[in-house]
Amino acid sequence: MDLKLNNKVAIVLAASKGLGKAIATALSAEGAKVIIGSRNETELNKTAAEIQQLTGNEVIAIPVDVTDIEQIKTFIQKAADAFGRIDILVNNAGGPPFDKFENFDDDAWQQAFDLNLRSVARASRLALPYLQKSGSGRIINLISVSVKSVLAGSVLSTTMRMGVVGMAKMMSDEFAPYNITVNNVAPGTMLTDRITKTVPKGADIEENLKKRAENIPLRRIGKPEESAAVVTFLASEQAAYITGATIPVDGGASRAIY
Ligand SMILES: NC(=O)c1ccc[n+]([C@@H]2O[C@H](COP(=O)([O-])OP(=O)(O)OC[C@H]3O[C@@H](n4cnc5c(N)ncnc54)[C@H](OP(=O)(O)O)[C@@H]3O)[C@@H](O)[C@H]2O)c1
């Protein structure tokens, strides 16, 4: 299937590694010109060069901390100037810490809000004029399947992601006249550094992940490319009639019927 991304320009936030990198790679492999952003400039440049080498399509690295309004403003301006347009915005960021509700203070709540909710509002607002001009704009938010089924210790993440679900639904309604679609992709457990870091100190990583996979109907941890494939489809012309949706990519892990 030709996803018709050849003349499209895509921004992928938080893309030096993990899910963001997999998404940037998949979009680039489909022909899109991609602009990636995250904080560590050295890592970001390395990733951009790696993807460009792999796909043969131009990838631009622009450092940004998505929690900083001035940096996001500069990032979106530079991204728009890079190829003269923005068609696709993938909102992604690092994840907040896991713990029980009682262990999070006000600062932790503020940081999670800035990282996983306000960043989505800001980047979307700043990219909106360009997406309106695109004629078939796309906003795709990386959230978590914790919006569908309880995930222990994920109170900060779940709260902010539920906010993103509401925001995306409102945006999908308001942006429909511009032919902009807005959707969320909700990964379960995908093999990235974020997941390997949750393995308790001293435990065998492979054994721990194998044990975790036993609770997943498909009996394995997901690959970042499997989230990226769904994002890439949502970015395509073929997905033009899907908007306001939240799509789990979780091997069947969420136990809700919906
Ligand atoms: N992996 C999973 O199983 C899974 C499941 C559900 C949801 N998620 C969510 O998906 C998102 C990505 O997860 P991941 O597993 O890919 O994480 P990861 O492997 O830790 O990668 C995180 C990426 O985000 C960047 N980043 C972090 N803070 C940033 C900031 N303030 N501004 C800009 N970039 C920032 C990092 O680069 P720098 O540090 O250089 O900025 C890095 O490129 C997270 O929100 C996570 O909670 C992941």
Side-chain angles (χ1 to χ4, degrees), residues 13-20 37-41 43 64-67 92-96 115-116 142-145 157 161 186-195 197:
L13 291 167
S16 64
K17 60 179 183 171
L19 302 182
S38 55
R39 293 166 304 178
N40 184 315
E41 192 168 0
E43 288 301 313
V64 64
D65 180 340
V66 298
T67 65
N92 183 35
L115 186 63
N116 297 113
L142 248 283
I143 54 168
S144 163
V145 85
S157 173
R161 313 305 188 177
T189 308
M190 319 297 288
L191 192 56
T192 68
D193 284 358
R194 175 159 170 82
I195 294 306
K197 276 183 191 151

Side-chain angles (χ1 to χ4, degrees), residues 89-91 120 124 139-143 164 168 182-186:
L89 170 66
V90 179
N91 282 310
V120 177
S124 303
I139 298 177
I140 302 151
N141 305 314
L142 248 283
I143 54 168
V164 173
V182 186
N183 293 291
N184 308 306
V185 171

Side-chain angles (χ1 to χ4, degrees), residues 14 130 132 148-149 156 161 183 222 227:
Y130 304 101
Q132 285 171 325
K148 299 286 188 192
S149 178
L156 290 180
R161 313 305 188 177
N183 293 291
S227 291

Side-chain angles (χ1 to χ4, degrees), residues 89-143:
L89 170 66
V90 179
N91 282 310
N92 183 35
F98 289 101
D99 209 335
K100 288 187 174 168
F101 173 85
E102 65 196 49
N103 294 329
F104 290 121
D105 61 13
D106 264 5
D107 284 347
W109 279 96
Q110 186 63 53
Q111 281 165 24
F113 171 71
D114 289 345
L115 186 63
N116 297 113
L117 184 55
R118 184 147 68 172
S119 66
V120 177
R122 280 174 168 166
S124 303
R125 185 177 72 238
L126 292 164
L128 182 58
Y130 304 101
L131 297 173
Q132 285 171 325
K133 273 191 215 141
S134 160
S136 56
R138 301 276 185 269
I139 298 177
I140 302 151
N141 305 314
L142 248 283
I143 54 168

